[in-house]
Amino acid sequence: MSTGTTPDAPGYPAEFAERYRDAGWWQGETFGRMLRERALAHPERIAIVDPAGETRRWTYGELDERADRLGAGLLALGIGKGDRVVVQLPNVAEFFEVVFALFRIGALPVFALPAHRDSEIRHFCAFTEAAAYVIQDVAEGYDYRELASRVRADVPGLKHVLVVGDPGEHTALADVPAEPVPFENGPEPHELAFLQLSGGSTGVPKLIPRTHDDYIYSLRGSNEICRVDEHSVYLCALPAAHNFPLSSPGTLGALYAGARVVLAPRPSPDVAFPLIEREGVTITGLVPPLALVWTEAAAAGTPYDLSSLDVLLVGGAKFSEEAARRVTPALGCTLQQVFGMAEGLVNYTRLDDPEETIVTTQGRPISPDDEIRVVDDEDAELPVGATGHLLTRGPYTIRGYWRAPEHNATAFTADGFYRTGDVVRLTESGHLVVEGRAKDQINRGGEKVAAEEIENHLLAHPSVHDAAVVSMPDTYLGERTCAYVVLREGAEPVKSPALKKFVRERGLAAFKIPDRIEFVAAFPRTGIGKVSKKDLRAAIAAHLAAATEQH
Ligand code: OOB
């Protein structure tokens, strides 16, 4: 039996697929059928609450019908099974209408983030040969219709731009739905459901092919561990398209459980706290910098009643032990650390773990079939307690990126383990502690920046001879980006603000613009002549520490 292998990406070898089915991890579900079953079981129950403007409350029945009607309309536009559709929406109810319509007809959402700009969106549309691109008209003051017009001019294959709100020169999403039709060629459980984005360490973000079977298993597992059931109310405070709020246990986990999803247009306490009180939110997930802001806001005293909140998940970047200890006293809920990745593996501390485990570890895997290896630089397995590279394989971890055979050859071992790029230690209790990172990536409070991607943008400047982007410590975000630049001899000298502006104008997510630029005559080198990023990181860290001491 086929296992999700396509010409575009390797799937699970047959013996593994069989094992995961026999073990009951893969239960032959699809997202389209899952929503239909929930809608039949409890049509009147609220599925989605969108508080922007006049609060909208969509029932399971309504969401199901909308997905059917939009699916029919998309088919009528010529969008069908296997086609890619780049979805770039903020936290609005239509996000779910769109993705479930695509799930139903077997078209693959490509989950862009609202922060992405020309450079990323152009790449996603061109690389995936997208049939359509779905946007909101304007969000947070940014006009996505203009972005779409520019992308369309560059990517002629992109046939449809569908807009939530005022479409301008494009097509209104509201005009697409049609009379429901039977979706005869719907996706099978082992087939792809969507393409998720990797945080990445390469020049452009890689695409992660996830199947219905594997992703739904991660939801079911997450729900059990996070105790999400039909009484839960999940607040989606992070961007809905990201893997963490989507599936850990996230909005899709909540919908799987027949629970309620409340969308926060922004994650700040002034928006989220009143929603927690009004909607009786029981569980939510945040990146560490936001968890700190919430903790401080609650500790300072808030007029809002947060007592419904049972669980706060924190992940996406390392949460410091000191900050972790303050969560429960301030917010009155249980902290659950989550260390996950869009490629698959997700680890959680358990709700009944001892406090020491909750505040000092990043949890343990969802599945008994998640295989964990901690290895040295030569891939030799290390004893429990030693720090090394984390490799993993399992029932919801991909076996290869989409259309990336060369990269796959090094990103995975010959026997299919994914090289996470994370440096970890395994405790006796089987929990993982994240100690660092070997991949060339900066984790800016959960937002991932691939050094090479930014270096390429810097190198496009005529005065730049060489560039090396590294992390620098930051009390709020954990890390920020520092770009070291060597200027071209004899070229027009350029200053930091002008170079940042140059990068910004190339059109990329604001979180990727270097926070700091340092000009140097030459880079430190390693023994074999490579740029020593370790030395650069140490230099900027020392410089910042000295500067703080002087104050
Ligand atoms: C989540 O997914 P991605 O794909 O944006 O980033 C994955 C990477 C990991 O490889 C690791 O480097 C880092 O983010 N990370 C953490 C962490 N959680 C993620 N590093 C330290 N401590 C943690 N708790 O970020 C993601 C996906 C699903 C659930 C949660 C996070």
Side-chain angles (χ1 to χ4, degrees):
M1 178 177 261
S2 165
T3 57
T5 298
T6 66
D8 297 316
Y12 297 86
E15 71 267 29
F16 283 88
E18 201 180 305
R19 179 166 124 202
Y20 298 152
R21 281 192 197 102
D22 287 349
W25 311 142
W26 296 357
Q27 297 187 352
E29 298 170 289
T30 64
F31 279 104
R33 288 205 293 268
M34 181 275 274
L35 177 61
R36 174 79 87 247
E37 282 166 18
R38 302 299 177 271
L40 289 171
H42 40 74
E44 299 303 328
R45 198 184 287 170
I46 302 294
I48 309 279
V49 179
D50 180 344
E54 203 156 309
T55 299
R56 293 183 291 168
R57 293 172 193 278
W58 288 358
T59 63
Y60 275 87
E62 196 175 348
L63 177 60
D64 181 59
E65 193 191 328
R66 280 176 176 270
D68 263 356
R69 296 179 59 84
L70 183 58
L74 292 169
L75 284 178
L77 288 180
I79 299 166
K81 189 167 175 183
D83 287 343
R84 276 77 58 192
V85 173
V86 176
V87 178
Q88 187 185 31
L89 289 173
N91 292 1
V92 290
E94 286 84 356
F95 175 85
F96 298 93
E97 177 180 358
V98 169
V99 300
F100 275 99
L102 296 170
F103 288 157
R104 280 236 162 113
I105 65 174
L108 310 179
V110 180
F111 286 121
L113 296 171
H116 287 137
R117 294 294 180 258
D118 299 53
S119 156
E120 292 99 348
I121 299 295
R122 208 187 305 122
H123 170 67
F124 300 146
C125 290
F127 184 70
T128 68
E129 300 169 87
Y133 170 37
V134 186
I135 54 171
Q136 168 92 35
D137 49 3
V138 178
E140 300 293 312
Y142 186 78
D143 194 327
Y144 288 88
R145 295 165 301 192
E146 291 173 12
L147 168 59
S149 300
R150 292 192 298 273
V151 169
R152 254 188 117 170
D154 288 345
V155 187
L158 179 65
K159 285 210 196 68
H160 305 282
V161 173
L162 308 177
V163 186
V164 175
D166 174 358
E169 67 179 48
H170 310 290
T171 305
L173 185 81
D175 288 341
V176 178
E179 276 312 302
V181 293
F183 302 133
E184 275 149 16
N185 189 24
E188 296 298 324
H190 67 270
E191 291 182 313
L192 295 188
F194 58 82
L195 299 175
Q196 185 55 274
L197 308 183
S198 75
S201 54
T202 50
V204 287
K206 294 277 175 296
L207 296 167
I208 297 168
R210 302 290 299 259
T211 65
H212 292 263
D213 260 337
D214 92 72
Y215 210 64
I216 290 179
Y217 169 46
S218 82
L219 302 180
R220 211 180 325 109
S222 297
N223 281 351
E224 199 181 317
I225 292 164
C226 308
R227 297 193 196 141
V228 169
D229 61 22
E230 74 270 26
H231 305 295
S232 302
V233 181
Y234 179 83
L235 181 75
C236 179
L238 296 170
H242 188 271
N243 198 61
F244 174 15
L246 198 60
S247 68
S248 299
T251 57
L252 295 182
L255 294 174
Y256 186 89
R260 184 176 296 196
V261 170
V262 177
L263 299 169
R266 275 184 306 282
S268 53
D270 60 313
V271 174
F273 286 8
L275 282 174
I276 293 174
E277 175 180 297
R278 193 182 85 191
E279 304 294 334
V281 169
T282 63
I283 176 167
T284 187
L286 296 175
V287 289
L290 283 170
L292 268 176
V293 171
W294 281 36
T295 303
E296 277 162 21
T302 168
Y304 296 102
D305 178 2
L306 306 179
S307 60
S308 62
L309 192 65
D310 289 329
V311 176
L312 174 64
L313 289 131
V314 179
K318 178 84 181 251
F319 198 34
S320 75
E321 185 186 325
E322 301 73 55
R325 280 191 197 283
R326 288 159 49 202
V327 167
T328 300
L331 288 155
C333 60
T334 305
L335 167 67
Q336 189 166 34
Q337 293 212 42
V338 48
F339 161 42
M341 52 207 72
E343 285 81 357
L345 181 70
V346 180
N347 306 277
Y348 295 101
T349 56
R350 302 309 197 254
L351 296 175
D352 57 0
D353 274 341
E355 192 203 330
E356 280 313 293
T357 306
I358 291 178
V359 299
T360 60
T361 81
Q362 279 64 57
R364 56 187 174 85
I366 291 177
S367 178
D369 253 346
D370 279 321
E371 298 171 78
I372 298 290
R373 271 192 203 154
V374 180
V375 303
D376 66 14
D377 289 343
E378 274 73 49
D379 277 358
E381 202 138 344
L382 293 168
V384 168
T387 299
H389 303 281
L390 171 64
L391 312 184
T392 187
R393 183 171 77 174
Y396 59 97
T397 295
I398 57 163
R399 294 302 189 110
Y401 292 99
W402 197 78
R403 293 191 182 169
E406 261 174 53
H407 183 67
N408 288 341
T410 54
F412 295 81
T413 64
D415 55 353
F417 278 75
Y418 167 56
R419 298 182 188 276
T420 66
D422 292 312
V423 172
V424 303
R425 172 167 62 81
L426 201 53
T427 67
E428 291 289 345
S429 59
H431 289 73
L432 289 164
V433 178
V434 181
E435 298 284 11
R437 196 179 318 124
K439 55 191 164 191
D440 203 0
Q441 181 188 78
I442 295 89
N443 191 332
R444 212 173 163 281
E447 293 185 306
K448 314 303 183 318
V449 182
E452 188 186 331
E453 184 180 350
I454 312 315
E455 287 158 5
N456 287 340
H457 285 291
L458 289 163
L459 286 167
H461 191 284
S463 299
V464 172
H465 169 67
D466 207 351
V469 174
V470 296
S471 66
M472 56 182 184
D474 181 77
T475 44
Y476 175 57
L477 290 180
E479 297 173 14
R480 285 184 195 264
T481 50
C482 177
Y484 276 93
V485 167
V486 177
L487 290 176
R488 203 179 288 282
E489 243 175 274
E492 190 79 12
V494 57
K495 294 222 169 64
S496 172
L499 196 49
K500 284 188 193 179
K501 182 160 174 271
F502 171 81
V503 173
R504 185 175 309 116
E505 283 172 357
R506 288 176 62 81
L508 70 167
F511 67 81
K512 295 182 188 171
I513 315 272
D515 290 294
R516 184 182 178 113
I517 300 180
E518 292 281 311
F519 296 95
V520 289
F523 292 142
R525 300 277 165 180
T526 64
I528 51 162
K530 288 206 296 188
V531 175
S532 173
K533 290 204 164 175
K534 195 167 147 227
D535 286 334
L536 290 174
R537 276 191 295 270
I540 188 64
H543 180 85
L544 292 173
T548 329
E549 247 165 56
Q550 274 174 10
H551 280 100

